[in-house]
């Protein structure tokens, strides 16, 4: 008769083998946090509003326009009088319809109104007037030194925007631009470098004809 004791069995043998030895730490979902950080960086660093800067070709008043990037939706605008616009209103025309000419610079702003970018390009300009080294003081001097303010007004209108329809008109604009720029560089010395025929503004050649 076998007197060997029966093998002892541990109480642990009756428990499932898959029993967890300890509780695992709770998983932290970092996906939403990453998305929130990326969204915040987008709002802070990516320009969603573009500001374009304009001058009135007639009186020299300045204007800033704000639009939504990509869509071009207009948001608002602000006018800023200058010494030339004040002088023009007092001595030439109390009221007139502004002719806004876009300058060569633009600014990018985030959703909170902070400027996050600046662009400078000749392609932003809407006409040769934007390339003239004109400031409010110089434009006012041109009005004062020309034979009649109406002639300077017509000249500025002729140079305000490009006319790409005919080579003849473009060449005429280039010629007027060169003569005016040379006169400005001379300190506005000498006679007014234009004749009445140079400043004839016909509807067929007006840069503002629709």
């Amino acid at each position: 008769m076998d007197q060997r004791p029966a093998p002892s069995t541990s109480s642990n043998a009756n428990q499932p083998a898959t029993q967890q030895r300890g509780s695992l730490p709770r998983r932290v979902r970092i996906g939403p946090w990453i998305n929130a950080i990326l969204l915040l960086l987008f709002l802070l660093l990516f320009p969603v509003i573009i500001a374009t800067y304009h001058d009135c070709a007639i009186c020299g008043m300045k204007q800033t326009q704000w639009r939504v990037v990509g869509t071009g939706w207009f948001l608002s605008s602000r006018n800023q009088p200058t010494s030339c616009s004040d002088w023009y209103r007092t001595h030439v025309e109390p009221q007139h319809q502004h002719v806004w000419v876009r300058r060569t610079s633009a600014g990018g702003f985030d959703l909170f109104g902070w400027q996050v970018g600046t662009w400078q390009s000749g392609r932003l300009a809407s006409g040769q007037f934007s390339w003239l080294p004109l400031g409010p003081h110089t434009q006012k001097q041109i009005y004062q030194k020309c034979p009649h303010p109406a002639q300077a007004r017509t000249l500025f209108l002729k140079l305000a925007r490009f006319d790409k329809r005919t080579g003849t008109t473009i060449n005429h604009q280039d010629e007027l631009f060169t003569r005016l720029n040379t006169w400005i560089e001379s300190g506005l010395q000498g006679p007014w470098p234009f004749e009445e025929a140079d400043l004839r503004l016909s509807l067929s050649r007006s840069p503002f004809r629709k």
Side-chain angles (χ1 to χ4, degrees):
M1 183 176 179
D2 191 356
Q3 298 294 327
R4 289 179 299 177
S8 61
T9 59
S10 172
S11 61
N12 294 333
N14 297 327
Q15 298 179 0
T18 59
Q19 183 182 8
Q20 297 181 352
R21 295 184 178 180
S23 59
L24 293 176
R26 186 178 181 181
R27 290 186 178 180
V28 178
R29 301 183 63 184
I30 63 174
W33 288 98
I34 293 178
N35 293 336
I37 293 174
L38 292 177
L39 178 60
L40 180 61
L41 291 176
F42 174 83
L43 295 177
L44 290 176
L45 301 177
F46 189 81
V48 295
I49 299 173
I50 184 171
T52 54
Y53 308 107
H54 305 72
D55 297 309
C56 174
I58 297 174
C59 71
M61 179 175 285
K62 298 184 180 300
Q63 184 187 74
T64 303
Q65 296 181 5
W66 290 274
R67 299 178 183 274
V68 178
V69 172
T71 63
W73 291 340
F74 178 79
L75 297 176
S76 64
S77 64
R78 181 181 64 191
N79 294 350
Q80 180 181 355
T82 64
S83 59
C84 183
S85 64
D86 292 340
W87 178 90
Y88 187 89
R89 184 179 63 252
T90 303
H91 296 86
V92 183
E93 289 182 298
Q95 293 182 347
H96 69 279
Q97 183 176 358
H98 294 294
V99 178
W100 299 115
V101 184
R102 192 169 62 248
R103 281 188 259 161
T104 59
S105 59
F109 295 81
D110 64 17
L111 195 61
F112 303 100
W114 297 344
Q115 187 166 354
V116 294
T118 302
W119 298 276
Q120 188 79 24
S121 174
R123 295 182 179 180
L124 294 171
S126 56
Q128 299 207 46
F129 180 85
S130 299
W131 297 345
L132 292 174
L134 288 181
H137 179 68
T138 302
Q139 188 171 6
K140 182 173 70 173
Q141 282 187 317
I142 292 174
Y143 272 117
Q144 293 171 337
K145 289 180 176 290
C146 70
H148 192 279
Q151 295 189 23
R153 183 184 190 275
T154 303
L155 173 66
F156 294 144
L157 287 176
K158 276 181 166 289
L159 296 178
R161 294 178 186 149
F162 291 126
D163 189 344
K164 301 180 180 180
R165 291 170 296 176
T166 62
T168 303
T169 304
I170 296 175
N171 293 337
H172 184 57
Q173 282 185 309
D174 289 340
E175 181 184 354
L176 296 177
F177 167 79
T178 301
R179 270 195 267 173
L180 178 60
N181 198 40
T182 301
W183 192 52
I184 292 173
E185 291 179 348
S186 70
L188 304 181
Q189 300 298 318
W192 174 245
F194 302 100
E195 302 292 339
E196 185 177 353
D198 298 327
L199 304 178
R200 188 175 296 116
L201 191 67
S202 65
L203 289 177
S204 61
R205 302 218 172 185
S206 170
F208 306 102
R209 182 172 180 265
K210 301 299 183 181

